[in-house]
Amino acid sequence: MDRRSFITGLAAGTAALAHTGLAQASTSEAFSKKTRPVDTMNRIGGWTNGSVEVIDIKGVRIGEGRPKLIAPTTSKTEADLIATVKKFADMPALNVIEVRIDYLGKIDPKDYARITRDAYAAAGDKVVLVTLRNGTDGGPFIADDEWYGCVYEAVLTEGRADIVDLELFRDRAMIDRLVKLARKQGVKVIISDHEFNFTPDEDEIIRRLMLEEQAGADILKIAVMAHSPEDALAVMSATAKMRHYHSARPMLTMAMGRAGVTRITGEGFGSDMTFASVGGKASAPGQIPAEDCLRVLETLHKAMNP
């Protein structure tokens, strides 16, 4: 193509773009000299903040407003678990109670189911998340796939929960079966992954979150260990890219540890829930006391929505 034809074609393309009503510009980031296109009319997907398929459970709208606050139980006896759930139920700061049945030890699946019924009744209007965490993902013991599946089948058919947490790297046929059963019972599903030693790179975080959506998760979750600010930034960037380009599902992403500031900054990059501790009892490194966490979340929400 000669120079005259190139210029003529460029002018025609520009006129056609103007005719569509799209106003585009480019901005230069001074620190990197990168030029990024910006759709100033907000009409092209991928340049906006991304949309979320809001999940409403008991009036708690996950994926809308500030991140919703979850407190986990760490009780080792049934009586203490029910007492703890009742205490959490009276705390206005909390939106969700995570009933960690794994802390009770390895008991009969039907006993777990019965305990979740009692815990659900004690939780009142709080959303109840039931979790059996494997030893590889931060739990107190190793639970093989067959027994793990039996526990969740009992919880879903004989127990009570609003949400259950299933681990990503399990037998896929079992996870598919449990997701279908949860759907039938009207229970939402978190599919989760945990790395307690390191932070995978950004692309790997995105890959795992996409695998969770493909497996049928209503809420995508990943928790990794941060050893530096760059690790926390990798989690934030991966979450933002998931929200912008790949998924409309609510997310629960975090960098654990002292460098993991992501527990309080989720609204800025797309994490819709976060964990907090009560009474100094945390289930993972870096959990902030619930009241302190709520104050920060509310302050950031007001700053982002003046």
Side-chain angles (χ1 to χ4, degrees):
M1 178 184 293
D2 59 27
R3 183 170 180 271
R4 181 184 297 275
S5 299
F6 175 77
I7 293 173
T8 301
L10 181 62
T14 303
L17 182 62
H19 181 70
T20 65
L22 293 177
Q24 289 186 311
S26 292
T27 59
S28 178
E29 297 176 348
F31 68 89
S32 67
K33 302 302 182 185
K34 290 182 180 178
T35 300
R36 300 182 185 276
V38 176
D39 171 20
T40 57
M41 298 294 288
N42 292 321
R43 293 181 180 177
I44 297 179
W47 300 114
T48 64
N49 290 330
S51 59
V52 188
E53 297 168 353
V54 176
I55 295 174
D56 191 315
I57 304 174
K58 296 179 176 176
V60 176
R61 294 180 60 78
I62 302 169
E64 181 177 276
R66 67 161 177 81
K68 302 306 181 284
L69 205 53
I70 311 167
T73 65
T74 56
S75 303
K76 295 182 180 180
T77 68
E78 180 180 347
D80 186 53
L81 172 65
I82 301 305
T84 299
V85 171
K86 288 180 179 178
K87 176 182 176 181
F88 288 1
D90 290 332
M91 296 181 64
L94 301 179
N95 304 109
V96 181
I97 301 172
E98 183 184 36
V99 176
R100 284 285 299 267
I101 55 177
D102 51 289
Y103 277 105
L104 298 172
K106 197 170 185 180
I107 61 178
D108 187 272
K110 290 184 179 295
D111 288 331
Y112 282 132
R114 174 181 53 78
I115 291 168
T116 63
R117 290 198 304 270
D118 293 341
Y120 195 92
D125 62 356
K126 301 295 187 188
V127 175
V128 174
L129 162 63
V130 173
T131 299
L132 173 68
R133 184 67 66 227
N134 191 37
T136 58
D137 282 47
F141 58 83
I142 297 297
D144 63 70
D145 283 338
E146 183 178 359
W147 188 78
Y148 183 92
C150 288
V151 170
Y152 273 109
E153 285 177 1
V155 168
L156 287 167
T157 57
E158 301 177 37
R160 289 297 303 273
D162 296 306
I163 312 172
V164 293
D165 181 307
L166 305 177
E167 292 161 352
L168 174 63
F169 293 116
R170 286 282 184 176
D171 177 71
R172 183 56 184 269
M174 177 193 68
I175 294 298
D176 288 345
R177 186 173 71 251
L178 292 175
V179 168
K180 289 178 182 177
L181 180 58
R183 296 273 186 277
K184 181 179 178 180
Q185 300 298 110
V187 175
K188 298 299 183 183
V189 175
I190 291 175
I191 295 183
S192 63
D193 177 54
H194 303 79
E195 288 291 354
F196 278 86
N197 294 318
F198 72 103
T199 296
D201 63 34
E202 184 181 307
D203 288 344
E204 176 62 11
I205 294 172
I206 291 172
R207 185 185 78 89
R208 295 186 191 189
L209 290 168
M210 292 179 73
L211 284 174
E212 290 169 5
E213 179 163 352
Q214 291 167 16
D218 298 295
I219 301 169
L220 318 179
K221 179 188 175 185
I222 190 166
V224 301
M225 183 60 70
H227 296 285
S228 67
E230 288 80 5
D231 286 343
L233 286 170
V235 175
M236 294 180 190
S237 181
T239 305
K241 287 178 180 177
M242 280 295 296
R243 175 59 44 84
H244 288 187
Y245 309 123
H246 303 298
S247 178
R249 303 284 169 86
M251 288 183 286
L252 172 51
T253 66
M254 70 204 76
M256 300 180 287
R258 292 184 178 182
V261 297
T262 60
R263 291 187 184 277
I264 57 174
T265 58
E267 188 171 357
F269 57 90
S271 183
D272 303 295
M273 307 176 81
T274 192
F275 283 88
S277 63
V278 176
K281 296 180 179 180
S283 62
Q287 290 178 1
I288 301 166
E291 290 79 4
D292 295 339
C293 190
L294 178 62
R295 279 194 291 270
V296 176
L297 293 176
E298 292 285 8
T299 299
L300 290 175
H301 179 71
K302 290 176 183 177
M304 294 178 64
N305 301 274

